[in-house]
Amino acid sequence: KKLMKNIKPFGPSLGRCKVSKKFIKKLNDGFDLKVKSNFKDYSSKLASQIRNEVKLNRTFINKYLSKEIKDHVNFFLKKEKIKQIKEIKILNLWVVRQFKGEYNPIHYHEGDLSGVGYLKLPKGMINNKLVKNKKIKTNGTIDFINGQKGFLSKSIYNVVPKLKELIIFPNYLMHTAYPFNIEGERRSFSFNAKIVLKK
């Protein structure tokens, strides 16, 4: 049984679950072995202030990653009472290698649903560098943003990345990844999916 936690911190729902060790290994190994045919530079197409971003080719996605992502998306949608699913199409999938000082400004995605998952994290990423005796609470974290702050209404949901965690969210939900101040790599993958419903 898949462990999917659907949460509603504000308007739109988000899903939080874990991907398999096999999924993480395949993605990290494929990336680290630098098989050029599997990946191409994607940084010019994305909103980030990050140099290392690569898009995976369709063959690699279909062979190693597609089934598990679709299973998680399907499970998330069923928990949201969306059952008339005809097809889940993975539009694209890319890997982001974030290093010291790099960040991803507020942006949103294409498709219907998007996801972000974590492949590598620097040790102590969120507990570093005091500024005027204050800890920087956002180091290396991700914010999801919806609407505006009001009485009994939160507009920001902050998530501390965890290895193997996958967060699924509607494509229009704005989000931002904060910089961190230590050496090391914060490696994540993201995808966009189109949901085709039965008529």
Side-chain angles (χ1 to χ4, degrees):
K1 187 180 177 182
K2 295 190 187 312
L3 186 62
M4 170 72 67
K5 184 179 180 184
N6 286 33
I7 54 174
K8 218 171 175 69
F10 29 53
S13 296
L14 288 84
R16 295 181 72 169
C17 62
K18 287 201 181 300
V19 290
S20 66
K21 285 182 183 176
K22 183 180 173 185
F23 182 98
I24 296 286
K25 183 168 176 15
K26 188 53 74 175
L27 202 38
N28 275 333
D29 286 355
F31 192 83
D32 289 333
L33 293 170
K34 294 181 173 55
V35 180
K36 298 284 189 206
S37 59
N38 290 334
F39 306 92
K40 70 175 185 179
D41 181 65
Y42 204 39
S43 51
S44 64
K45 305 283 186 195
L46 301 172
S48 66
Q49 300 298 310
I50 295 172
R51 283 169 300 192
N52 285 275
E53 297 173 307
V54 290
K55 184 179 178 182
L56 282 74
N57 77 23
R58 181 67 45 199
T59 306
F60 188 89
I61 295 169
N62 289 344
K63 188 172 181 181
Y64 300 114
L65 311 173
S66 184
K67 184 184 182 310
E68 185 165 338
I69 288 174
K70 287 179 181 181
D71 284 349
H72 288 304
V73 167
N74 190 46
F75 200 70
F76 168 73
L77 289 171
K78 285 189 173 172
K79 285 194 83 173
E80 288 295 309
K81 307 288 189 271
I82 297 171
K83 294 174 183 169
Q84 299 300 311
I85 303 161
K86 182 179 178 184
E87 187 182 0
I88 297 165
K89 294 181 183 177
I90 307 296
L91 300 177
N92 44 29
L93 192 150
W94 64 100
V95 172
V96 177
R97 299 181 71 205
Q98 184 181 346
F99 295 94
K100 183 178 178 181
E102 295 184 323
Y103 67 97
N104 215 329
I106 296 171
H107 64 287
Y108 50 86
H109 289 194
E110 63 177 321
D112 296 311
L113 277 181
S114 297
V116 59
Y118 298 98
L119 304 167
K120 280 186 181 183
L121 296 169
K123 191 175 179 182
M125 177 181 71
I126 62 165
N127 300 319
N128 56 84
K129 292 277 175 134
L130 296 175
V131 176
K132 293 183 183 174
N133 299 323
K134 250 175 110 176
K135 277 189 180 176
I136 302 170
K137 293 180 182 174
T138 53
N139 273 340
T141 66
I142 183 170
D143 269 356
F144 293 93
I145 305 147
N146 182 69
Q148 61 190 27
K149 189 180 184 314
F151 179 61
L152 299 179
S153 176
K154 290 198 312 186
S155 61
I156 296 174
Y157 178 59
N158 180 259
V159 176
V160 176
K162 290 179 184 158
L163 208 56
K164 297 197 299 181
E165 183 171 45
L166 170 64
I167 304 164
I168 298 170
F169 54 95
N171 73 297
Y172 57 80
L173 187 59
M174 292 184 293
H175 54 286
T176 181
Y178 290 103
F180 52 90
N181 303 318
I182 59 170
E183 300 302 326
E185 178 185 353
R186 174 192 189 270
R187 184 183 297 181
S188 62
F189 69 93
S190 293
F191 69 86
N192 295 322
K194 184 80 183 160
I195 311 304
V196 182
L197 299 176
K198 293 173 187 172
K199 294 183 179 178

